[in-house]
Amino acid sequence: MAINQGVRPGGRSARVQASVHNAVNQLLEERERGELTVPLIAARAGVTPSTIYRRWGDLNELLGDVALQRIRPDSGPTDTGSLAGDLLAWGIQYMEETSSVPGRAAVLDLLAAGGGCSGRCLEIATAQFGAILERAVSRGEPVPSNDRVVDRLMAPLVYRILFSGEPLEVAYVEALVEVTLEGIGG
Amino acid sequence: MAINQGVRPGGRSARVQASVHNAVNQLLEERERGELTVPLIAARAGVTPSTIYRRWGDLNELLGDVALQRIRPDSGPTDTGSLAGDLLAWGIQYMEETSSVPGRAAVLDLLAAGGGCSGRCLEIATAQFGAILERAVSRGEPVPSNDRVVDRLMAPLVYRILFSGEPLEVAYVEALVEVTLEGIGG
């Protein structure tokens, strides 16, 4: 999945990638994930199966790559005017997206790909938190470390979404935000 | 996977289950997970494929059931003489097991099964923490809630093992234990 190095954006290679990604997304809407195969995706994308194997290695890597695009946020985190508000808004949106059927499927696809996300999932999250924390600093608010936001807000959310089997409530996100900001002064 | 109700332990049904579980575990040592099929497992276990479909529904459910047995701890948590020591010993062992190749595969199998663990993973963990906390109470130590151990120790460990792609260190587990016990008095 690190095979994009040296690729000219917008060139033939980028068009192949877009076409294959679109094919996967279309097929995921029409069928069970377990029914997807490389030949099926290739046929829909108008490329040969060997193009897919050469570029992504195998089906799991391709599905992981598509899932990574899907979990990339469309926009920066909402500005609610305060750090606590921004973290809460992020947490509620993340909880809703990740506990949805396609959100859960994206997480599983990411984990099933060879490197199991290899830090790229964490990078996407910490970039979002970085933007939130920078905004708080510019407002003059005291801020926790990015790592603390990961450990105290993101990790419990992900853990409970994936493993607990119980629907989460907004009050739970609020409690996590409180623990994240506990004792940081201000 | 809740099909064991009314089953006489040690009866024919239990023998079928043991035989199928053994077949899966053997095959997982010999092959890639993606190569396993219900007919292959049935042949190794000496049962018909329809026995497996009737009992487990599909391959993902069966692999999830086997993974659930695999993650069940063989023994109670180590008694180190203190709550902080017990949580640290638990965390280090959990980190080692879960970041191993078979440990990671077990987590993925659990998540891929229909209900995605449906709370059973969380039950296994909270039972372990329950035993550790009960022991601490009997020593007269102040204790955090079980939920707090999940959110502050277990969740960050699982999140970083699954998503960060970086090896974790004992010092990280120590820091999590400290945060778990922060401000609980004593």
Side-chain angles (χ1 to χ4, degrees):
Chain A
M1 281 158 79
I3 319 180
N4 291 329
Q5 289 165 334
V7 165
R8 181 163 51 89
R12 193 181 55 184
S13 180
R15 285 197 305 274
V16 166
Q17 170 164 326
S19 170
V20 171
H21 275 217
N22 285 341
V24 170
N25 284 323
Q26 282 173 18
L27 288 166
L28 282 174
E29 284 185 15
E30 298 165 18
R31 296 165 179 253
E32 296 287 317
R33 183 203 186 290
E35 294 172 41
L36 264 60
T37 62
V38 168
L40 189 70
I41 295 164
R44 178 68 63 99
V47 303
T48 62
S50 66
T51 301
I52 292 182
Y53 289 119
R54 203 163 42 236
R55 186 163 181 140
W56 282 278
D58 65 22
L59 179 63
N60 278 345
E61 290 299 317
L62 169 57
L63 292 177
D65 193 26
V66 172
L68 197 68
Q69 297 300 327
R70 243 181 304 156
I71 67 161
R72 266 183 217 289
D74 303 324
S75 54
T78 313
D79 187 348
T80 66
S82 77
L83 174 55
D86 287 4
L87 291 176
L88 183 62
W90 178 91
I92 292 170
Q93 193 186 347
Y94 184 86
M95 176 177 80
E96 281 166 359
E97 285 172 4
T98 310
S99 49
S100 71
V101 172
R104 227 189 121 77
V107 173
L108 291 183
D109 283 345
L110 284 164
L111 290 175
C117 235
S118 307
R120 286 161 306 162
C121 298
L122 186 56
E123 270 164 37
I124 292 177
T126 53
Q128 294 263 299
F129 298 145
I132 289 175
L133 295 174
E134 221 170 89
R135 208 149 59 193
V137 168
S138 73
R139 287 190 204 106
E141 294 182 278
V143 294
S145 68
N146 206 315
D147 264 351
R148 181 159 157 166
V149 182
V150 170
D151 285 342
R152 297 196 183 193
L153 175 59
M154 174 140 204
L157 271 181
V158 174
Y159 181 78
R160 292 192 183 260
I161 289 167
L162 293 181
F163 292 101
S164 90
E166 280 177 26
L168 295 178
E169 314 212 333
V170 169
Y172 178 66
V173 187
E174 286 170 344
L176 294 177
V177 170
E178 207 169 292
V179 168
T180 304
L181 300 181
E182 202 171 69
I184 58 161
Chain B
M1 283 160 82
I3 320 180
N4 291 328
Q5 289 165 337
V7 164
R8 181 164 50 87
R12 192 181 57 185
S13 179
R15 286 198 304 275
V16 166
Q17 170 164 326
S19 170
V20 171
H21 275 218
N22 285 342
V24 170
N25 284 322
Q26 282 172 20
L27 288 166
L28 282 174
E29 284 184 14
E30 297 164 20
R31 295 166 180 252
E32 294 288 316
R33 185 208 186 286
E35 294 173 40
L36 265 60
T37 62
V38 168
L40 188 71
I41 294 164
R44 178 68 63 98
V47 304
T48 62
S50 65
T51 301
I52 292 182
Y53 289 120
R54 204 162 42 236
R55 188 164 180 140
W56 282 277
D58 65 22
L59 179 62
N60 278 346
E61 290 299 317
L62 169 57
L63 293 177
D65 193 27
V66 172
L68 197 68
Q69 297 299 327
R70 242 181 303 155
I71 65 160
R72 264 181 218 289
D74 303 325
S75 55
T78 314
D79 187 348
T80 66
S82 76
L83 174 56
D86 287 4
L87 290 176
L88 183 62
W90 178 89
I92 292 170
Q93 193 186 345
Y94 183 85
M95 177 177 78
E96 282 167 358
E97 285 172 5
T98 310
S99 48
S100 71
V101 172
R104 226 188 122 76
V107 172
L108 291 184
D109 283 346
L110 284 164
L111 290 176
C117 235
S118 306
R120 286 160 306 162
C121 299
L122 185 56
E123 272 165 36
I124 293 177
T126 53
Q128 294 262 302
F129 298 144
I132 289 175
L133 295 174
E134 223 172 86
R135 209 149 59 194
V137 168
S138 73
R139 286 189 203 108
E141 293 181 277
V143 295
S145 68
N146 206 314
D147 265 350
R148 182 160 155 163
V149 182
V150 170
D151 285 342
R152 297 196 183 191
L153 175 59
M154 174 140 204
L157 271 181
V158 173
Y159 181 79
R160 291 191 184 264
I161 288 167
L162 293 181
F163 292 101
S164 91
E166 279 177 26
L168 295 178
E169 315 214 331
V170 169
Y172 178 66
V173 187
E174 285 171 345
L176 294 178
V177 169
E178 206 168 294
V179 168
T180 305
L181 300 180
E182 202 171 69
I184 59 162

